Amino acid sequence: MAYDKIVVPQNGERITVREGSLHVPDHPILLYVEGDGIGPDITHASMRIWDAAVQKAYGGQRKVAWAEIYAGEKANALYGTYFPDETLDAIREFYVGIKGPLTTPVGGGFRSLNVALRQELDLYACVRPVRWFPNVPSPLRAPEKVDVVIFRENTEDVYAGIEYMAGTPENEKLARFLREEMGARFFEGAGLGIKPISAFGTKRLVRKAIQYAIDNQRKSVTFVHKGNIQKFTEGAFRNWGYEVAAQEFADFTITEDALWKEPHNGRVPPGKIVVKDRIADIMFQMMLLRPDEFDVIATPNLNGDYLSDAVAAEVGGVGIAPGSNIGDYMAVFEATHGTAPKYAGLDKVNPGSLLLSGVMMLDYIGWKEAGKAIIDAYIRTVEQKIVTYDFARQMQGATEVKTSEFASAVIANL
Ligand code: NAP
């Protein structure tokens, strides 16, 4: 495909999909969006580390061919729009990319670029691993007990954007229908929102979560829902989740109910993953008090939004929490924090979130050795108390360094 502003690297090769799986050449074209605000600082720093780790792990046999694509302010300057069509075309063609944070004006302006990206490309699973790294400041007494991977549904729930403003003709029409034909009762002048949760949307998310648990030897998958109150949406999510486990993964899973009955009596049969569910509000307490009871988590959109930031806060905050949005094959990895505009261009912030999202990306394309090299070097660097300002202010005796200096320290530790 011909692009207007995107330069496809000549030395790179396309990732392809054959027989239902991703095929990654030795010089794959990977896409990146610098992002707004602090985006360029953390992107440049992280890219140096990703490249150095790949070089270290594969001695020049493998190398990423980076192609810059555009969204946000840089896109607006180049194309006169914040979200050019060819950015989407490039992701459809090359499958895998990583992005820095993008500005979303509050209350009006354009809709969130992040939400648009997920919806346009049907990146239905927002996957966020949350674990503690030694020496990273945490408010918990035993942060090492936190090691979960949250699969948040990305396309449904109240996030689907089906909302009608109070006072509009659409709102009044819907209110009349709900009252007169469905017998619903609610206050006059209420804004109305619809919360669709489907078997299709739930099952493809849960399928991904269980498959991940199998592929990565995880112990359990927990459905987090509010099904006690919202029975036909959140409750249905839970039921459909169990259906996927029973119908598609019977050889690999056991439900918590079955586990505590004869003949198992609480002993997990070898090779089985425990499938269980928890109501969302108690889950927040449990993730603080007994986080080691949880492993892979699958949850609808809004629960997942709250839960992933809350759990990230237990182990160092969104400054180091990685994230990704994954569809059937396409995947966009991303920093989970925003653009932190007051620090833009100061070479100051923590690149950890984007850096570790890049580790997820390397894992996703099967370059696990490079990802592991980065994790080890990252742990060593923080152990040496070489950190950016955000960690330095919470650590005794830390050496505060700039974003780029932190990258150099990690590279030295590779
Ligand atoms: P934010 O940019 O995440 O910044 C909030 C605070 O978090 C910062 O002031 C800073 O705390 C800390 N922080 C964020 N990134 C950090 C990093 N890499 N290292 C260290 N500390 C970091 O949130 P916001 O101010 O609410 O949002 C700003 C803009 O970003 C908005 O336009 C919002 O819509 C957008 N946003 C984009 C995304 C995305 O693209 N995925 C996500 C969230 C928000 P201190 O002030 O304490 O140092």
Side-chain angles (χ1 to χ4, degrees):
M1 167 167 251
Y3 294 95
D4 178 18
K5 305 277 196 284
I6 297 170
V7 179
V8 177
Q10 293 300 312
N11 55 349
E13 302 154 84
R14 274 178 190 69
I15 291 176
T16 52
V17 172
R18 289 198 305 272
E19 289 155 7
S21 57
L22 221 53
H23 286 256
V24 180
D26 280 343
H27 299 96
I29 294 169
L30 295 183
L31 308 169
Y32 72 96
V33 177
E34 263 189 1
D36 301 327
I38 56 174
D41 283 352
I42 58 175
T43 302
H44 299 153
S46 300
M47 211 172 249
R48 282 172 51 217
I49 301 173
W50 300 324
D51 283 341
V54 169
Q55 168 66 31
K56 180 90 188 168
Y58 309 113
Q61 196 212 329
R62 288 176 166 171
K63 192 174 189 323
V64 175
W66 295 105
E68 181 167 11
I69 58 172
Y70 305 94
E73 286 157 12
K74 195 164 179 181
N76 195 35
L78 268 176
Y79 296 81
T81 167
Y82 286 86
F83 197 22
D85 287 342
E86 67 171 23
T87 291
L88 292 176
D89 293 338
I91 300 172
R92 289 191 188 101
E93 180 172 0
F94 297 107
Y95 291 105
V96 182
I98 189 158
K99 62 172 271 295
L102 298 169
T103 309
T104 308
V106 178
F110 46 83
R111 72 178 170 143
S112 160
L113 297 174
N114 302 303
V115 175
L117 198 67
R118 291 167 199 166
Q119 289 180 350
E120 295 283 340
L121 299 172
D122 198 23
L123 305 175
Y124 56 83
C126 177
V127 185
R128 283 174 64 170
V130 189
R131 57 162 285 196
W132 181 70
F133 291 102
N135 302 303
V136 169
S138 158
L140 294 195
R141 263 186 296 183
E144 67 281 1
K145 289 184 176 174
V146 179
D147 185 1
V148 295
V149 183
I150 301 174
F151 282 72
R152 165 189 170 200
E153 206 290 325
N154 237 353
T155 60
E156 297 197 299
D157 202 347
V158 286
Y159 270 73
I162 310 173
E163 283 201 301
Y164 301 96
M165 192 163 88
T168 61
E170 295 81 7
N171 175 291
E172 279 161 20
K173 190 171 176 182
L174 180 60
R176 211 174 314 120
F177 168 74
L178 289 172
R179 287 201 181 95
E180 292 171 12
E181 297 193 35
M182 307 302 286
R185 293 174 56 194
F186 48 90
F187 291 125
E188 280 300 329
L192 296 173
I194 306 272
K195 176 184 173 97
I197 290 195
S198 69
F200 172 75
T202 301
K203 287 185 173 184
R204 64 181 181 170
L205 187 267
V206 169
R207 196 172 290 129
K208 243 192 189 4
I210 297 179
Q211 191 61 54
Y212 176 91
I214 294 169
D215 293 345
N216 293 279
Q217 293 88 42
R218 307 294 292 219
K219 292 192 178 66
S220 68
V221 176
T222 306
F223 308 133
V224 176
H225 60 88
K226 195 70 192 157
N228 53 333
I229 306 297
Q230 300 167 45
K231 298 186 194 311
F232 307 124
T233 49
E234 299 265 334
F237 178 91
R238 166 192 177 276
N239 297 343
W240 287 321
Y242 280 117
E243 258 178 55
V244 172
Q247 292 170 0
E248 301 178 28
F249 296 98
D251 291 345
F252 298 96
T253 57
I254 181 169
T255 62
E256 193 175 39
D257 272 357
L259 177 66
W260 288 101
K261 289 188 182 135
E262 293 284 346
H264 307 295
N265 299 319
R267 271 192 308 276
V268 181
K272 295 258 184 175
I273 290 160
V274 180
V275 178
K276 54 190 178 182
D277 73 278
R278 295 290 181 273
I279 291 175
D281 36 276
I282 199 65
M283 188 65 185
F284 280 79
Q285 170 168 320
M286 288 183 163
M287 275 310 302
L288 280 170
L289 301 182
R290 288 160 20 214
D292 48 345
E293 289 181 12
F294 302 98
D295 199 336
V296 174
I297 291 169
T299 189
N301 208 335
L302 185 61
N303 299 336
D305 191 20
Y306 299 151
L307 193 63
S308 40
D309 276 17
V311 179
E314 296 179 11
V315 293
V318 292
I320 63 153
S324 62
N325 297 290
I326 305 182
D328 281 335
Y329 304 107
M330 280 182 276
V332 177
F333 297 81
E334 65 175 354
T336 51
H337 53 72
T339 57
K342 66 183 175 187
Y343 297 124
L346 299 184
D347 195 16
K348 182 175 173 74
V349 296
N350 192 338
S353 175
L354 191 73
L355 175 65
L356 298 174
S357 303
V359 170
M360 290 179 77
M361 178 167 70
L362 293 169
D363 283 351
Y364 186 75
I365 63 168
W367 294 12
K368 291 189 189 280
E369 300 80 5
K372 177 155 187 333
I374 294 173
I375 298 284
D376 291 346
Y378 180 83
I379 290 173
R380 227 166 290 143
T381 309
V382 178
E383 206 169 57
Q384 293 160 349
K385 298 196 172 183
I386 300 172
V387 290
T388 45
Y389 84 97
D390 51 324
F391 283 7
R393 68 186 169 190
Q394 303 175 66
M395 276 172 145
Q396 293 269 321
T399 307
E400 182 182 327
V401 293
K402 294 173 186 290
T403 314
S404 56
E405 293 167 340
F406 180 79
S408 301
V410 174
I411 291 168
N413 277 323
L414 275 171

